[in-house]
Amino acid sequence: MKDPSSTINNTNVNNKRRRKDESNRGGGEEEEEPKADFENKKKKMKKTEVLKELLTSFILLDEQEKSDQQEWDKISQHESSLLDSNHKKKTQTMLDYYSDFQDYYSDLEESDRFLIQQSRLSVNKIATQIAANPKSKDSKSIQGHQRRLWVKDRSKAWWDQCNHPDFPESDFRKAFRMSRATFDMICEELNLAVTKQNTMLRDAIPTRQRVAVCIWRLATGEPLRLVSKRFGLGISTCHKLVLEVCSAIKTVLMPKFLQWPDEERLRKIEKEFESVSRIPNVVGSMYTTHIPIIAPKISVAAYFNKRHTERNQKTSYSITVQGVVDPKGVFTDVCIGWPGSMPDDQVLEKSALYQRANGGQLQGSWVVGSCGFPLMDWVLVPYTQQNLTWTQHAFNEKIGEIQFVAKSAFARLKGRWGCLQKRTEMKLQDLPVVLGACCVLHNICEMMNEEMDPDVQFELNDDEMVPENSLRSMSSKNARDNIAHNLLHHGLAGTSFL
């Protein structure tokens, strides 16, 4: 059995040891706490230094950017000042040149005015001398001497050769697209409209030469400088002659050779077309072609020809010529000058033919058009839908025969008059008169049975688009179906579609 006092002593010893251990443990923790605080402080200092470095770099970059911007502004201001000074110098130079130019021309005009006054005074003096003493030697010598003032001497050898009676007929026809007899008839018709009187300064250009300048220019499409060399005239004179003669053709010859037929003539046309196609009441074959032009200065988009541009891979501008022809290919109606971007149906609505039809003058008659025109009470067009029946094929075949008449006429028109095949330097406002003159001359050649030279044959390349509203009348649809039915079931249609 243990002694109680020893037990108590052991307990006290253990308690002392425990207190000592706890005190030792607590002292260690107190030593560890300052070390952790020091490490945290070091980390915070490092972060602060990194932030200071970043801020410093940002500040330096900002200052560098400001300095670069200032330098760039200085350079820009310097360049701007240089440009302004150069522009002012150029402007001043141009103004000085223009003022010198004006001074030169004002001096030149004054000298010309003085020379004209002197020449008039001398002419008046000569005329007075002749009137006072017409039998004197001086007056006879003055009358015998031909004065040629303000005219440059140019060679007229080519035209003199063509105008000679011994000039070969084949060569004349090749140059002017018509025989000498037809040319003489045109000159006779236009004589009163284009003839000018001689003056005291120079002789007027003869009527035959005036007409020849115009027709050769239309036939070949050659530039005015070549026309000038051929006929021994100035370029501006040739241009003026072409417009004057074309205007005279429109005024004098168009009422005689290009007019809508009267009732008697319409009945003959119907019979001739019916004998060709077996389709009754056809009074004309209609077609629309495009004439290339130089890009106009105004409304460029309106004259842009998208289809020709896509096909030829070259930007194209054009104006339209819509025409109706009889069975012989003679034009009975034309509509000229609408922009090339307009489709065929819109050009038709702008034409005098459309107004004539709305007035009831085409009631009971047909004008045959291509698929670019709408089906109307007076316009007969082919079927355009897919999967046609035999009846519709037969009808389209006969419509194609009538359409061939118009296409052939336009091909001969462009073949004869080469000015229609390429872009011309004429102004846009002058073109309708020139194109109208070409149509009138075409009719004259067709009526006079002028043969086409094989070397001037032309192939048409006009694109046709089906209009958005291709059916304008249900009654016309029924009438077309009846015509197609009669063609096939009465043995009037061909058999090439089978």
Side-chain angles (χ1 to χ4, degrees):
M1 186 174 177
K2 291 183 179 181
D3 188 5
S5 60
S6 63
T7 305
I8 292 170
N9 290 330
N10 291 334
T11 304
N12 290 332
V13 171
N14 291 333
N15 288 335
K16 288 180 180 179
R17 288 177 180 173
R18 192 181 296 113
R19 290 192 197 101
K20 189 177 182 180
D21 292 338
E22 288 178 358
S23 63
N24 291 334
R25 199 180 296 117
E29 289 177 357
E30 290 177 358
E31 290 177 0
E32 290 176 357
E33 285 179 0
K35 290 181 180 179
D37 293 339
F38 180 73
E39 290 180 357
N40 291 333
K41 288 180 180 179
K42 284 182 69 177
K43 290 180 180 179
K44 288 181 180 179
M45 289 177 65
K46 286 182 179 179
K47 288 182 179 178
T48 305
E49 289 177 358
V50 171
L51 289 173
K52 286 182 178 179
E53 291 177 357
L54 288 173
L55 288 173
T56 305
S57 62
F58 282 136
I59 292 170
L60 290 174
L61 286 173
D62 191 26
E63 291 178 353
Q64 182 67 30
E65 186 177 357
K66 287 182 180 179
S67 63
D68 292 342
Q69 184 65 35
Q70 291 175 357
E71 187 176 356
W72 175 254
D73 291 340
K74 289 180 181 178
I75 295 172
S76 299
Q77 289 177 359
H78 181 65
E79 290 180 352
S80 177
S81 61
L82 286 176
L83 287 173
D84 291 339
S85 62
N86 289 335
H87 177 70
K88 289 179 180 178
K89 289 179 181 178
K90 289 181 180 179
T91 304
Q92 187 62 38
T93 304
M94 291 180 66
L95 290 173
D96 294 340
Y97 174 77
Y98 183 69
S99 62
D100 295 340
F101 198 66
Q102 280 188 325
D103 294 340
Y104 169 75
Y105 267 97
S106 61
D107 296 338
L108 190 63
E109 287 177 358
E110 290 180 1
S111 62
D112 289 343
R113 198 178 298 113
F114 176 75
L115 289 174
I116 291 172
Q117 290 176 354
Q118 292 295 322
S119 64
R120 285 177 180 174
L121 291 174
S122 63
V123 168
N124 291 334
K125 185 177 180 181
I126 293 169
T128 304
Q129 291 178 356
I130 294 173
N133 192 7
K135 294 183 180 181
S136 64
K137 293 182 180 180
D138 294 337
S139 64
K140 290 181 181 179
S141 62
I142 291 170
Q143 288 178 341
H145 179 66
Q146 293 183 353
R147 304 192 62 185
R148 297 189 58 81
L149 301 178
W150 321 112
V151 178
K152 179 181 178 180
D153 290 332
R154 293 182 174 91
S155 175
K156 300 180 181 179
W158 184 83
W159 164 241
D160 292 337
Q161 185 180 4
C162 291
N163 198 33
H164 197 274
D166 295 335
F167 190 69
E169 181 70 19
S170 59
D171 293 340
F172 190 92
R173 188 188 299 273
K174 189 173 183 179
F176 297 98
R177 306 294 194 264
M178 61 183 66
S179 64
R180 191 185 297 272
T182 303
F183 179 82
D184 292 341
M185 183 272 290
I186 294 173
C187 292
E188 185 177 351
E189 292 282 346
L190 298 178
N191 185 44
L192 294 177
V194 302
T195 300
K196 304 294 182 181
Q197 299 297 323
N198 295 338
T199 65
M200 297 185 68
L201 297 178
R202 58 184 172 185
D203 293 337
I205 301 171
T207 300
R208 289 179 63 84
Q209 188 175 4
R210 289 172 176 268
V211 176
V213 167
C214 177
I215 292 181
W216 193 80
R217 161 85 163 128
L218 299 181
T220 61
E222 297 291 353
L224 290 171
R225 56 183 178 81
L226 294 183
V227 181
S228 171
K229 291 181 179 179
R230 290 278 184 168
F231 290 90
L233 301 171
I235 293 177
S236 59
T237 302
C238 292
H239 178 66
K240 184 179 178 181
L241 288 179
V242 171
L243 296 181
E244 285 182 355
V245 175
C246 286
S247 180
I249 290 173
K250 179 183 177 182
T251 304
V252 178
L253 298 182
M254 185 174 281
K256 296 181 180 180
F257 296 98
L258 203 163
Q259 285 294 313
W260 186 253
D262 55 19
E263 287 296 325
E264 182 180 357
R265 178 60 183 151
L266 284 177
R267 301 291 80 82
K268 292 181 180 179
I269 291 174
E270 287 179 358
K271 290 180 180 179
E272 292 178 11
F273 272 124
E274 188 171 2
S275 65
V276 172
S277 63
R278 306 298 182 184
I279 298 177
N281 303 324
V282 176
V283 296
S285 179
M286 181 167 53
Y287 187 77
T288 300
T289 191
H290 288 257
I291 307 300
I293 62 172
I294 297 173
K297 295 181 179 179
I298 58 174
S299 303
V300 179
Y303 293 90
F304 177 68
N305 193 320
K306 181 179 178 181
R307 288 165 286 174
H308 286 202
T309 299
E310 291 175 349
R311 187 182 67 243
N312 301 329
Q313 297 298 310
K314 184 178 180 181
T315 305
S316 300
Y317 300 89
S318 65
I319 63 173
T320 59
V321 177
Q322 175 194 283
V324 180
V325 301
D326 66 9
K328 295 181 180 178
V330 175
F331 288 103
T332 57
D333 182 88
V334 290
C335 178
I336 300 171
W338 290 101
S341 64
M342 292 178 62
D344 294 350
D345 59 321
Q346 292 183 15
V347 176
L348 175 63
E349 292 172 0
K350 301 290 185 180
S351 65
L353 179 67
Y354 190 84
Q355 303 300 325
R356 191 180 295 117
N358 286 343
Q361 298 184 31
L362 293 178
Q363 191 172 2
S365 300
W366 294 108
V367 175
V368 173
S370 64
C371 59
F373 296 98
L375 180 63
M376 305 172 68
D377 289 332
W378 55 278
V379 179
L380 193 60
V381 298
Y383 292 96
T384 57
Q385 69 268 23
Q386 299 292 329
N387 302 321
L388 300 179
T389 63
W390 284 10
T391 302
Q392 293 168 345
H393 271 294
F395 176 83
N396 283 2
E397 184 181 279
K398 291 300 180 181
I399 287 289
E401 293 177 0
I402 300 177
Q403 264 289 284
F404 180 75
V405 177
K407 290 182 179 180
S408 299
F410 271 96
R412 292 196 298 276
L413 172 72
K414 286 191 171 183
R416 275 197 181 99
W417 312 115
C419 65
L420 307 181
Q421 302 174 20
K422 50 190 175 181
R423 298 184 301 176
T424 177
E425 66 267 23
M426 289 185 183
K427 295 180 180 179
L428 190 61
Q429 59 266 28
D430 295 331
L431 277 178
V433 175
V434 175
L435 299 180
C438 291
C439 293
V440 174
L441 294 174
H442 164 87
N443 280 5
I444 293 174
C445 292
E446 293 291 317
M447 293 176 182
M448 300 294 287
N449 297 319
E450 296 287 350
E451 296 181 357
M452 282 279 293
D453 191 338
D455 296 335
V456 297
Q457 297 292 337
F458 185 80
E459 183 178 355
L460 291 176
N461 286 314
D462 294 302
D463 300 309
E464 297 173 352
M465 289 181 61
V466 178
E468 295 181 0
N469 184 12
S470 59
L471 179 61
R472 305 287 178 87
S473 169
M474 288 303 298
S475 60
S476 61
K477 180 179 181 298
N478 296 330
R480 181 174 67 174
D481 292 340
N482 291 333
I483 294 173
H485 178 82
N486 292 334
L487 285 175
L488 184 65
H489 296 282
H490 290 79
L492 302 177
T495 57
S496 62
F497 65 97
L498 295 173

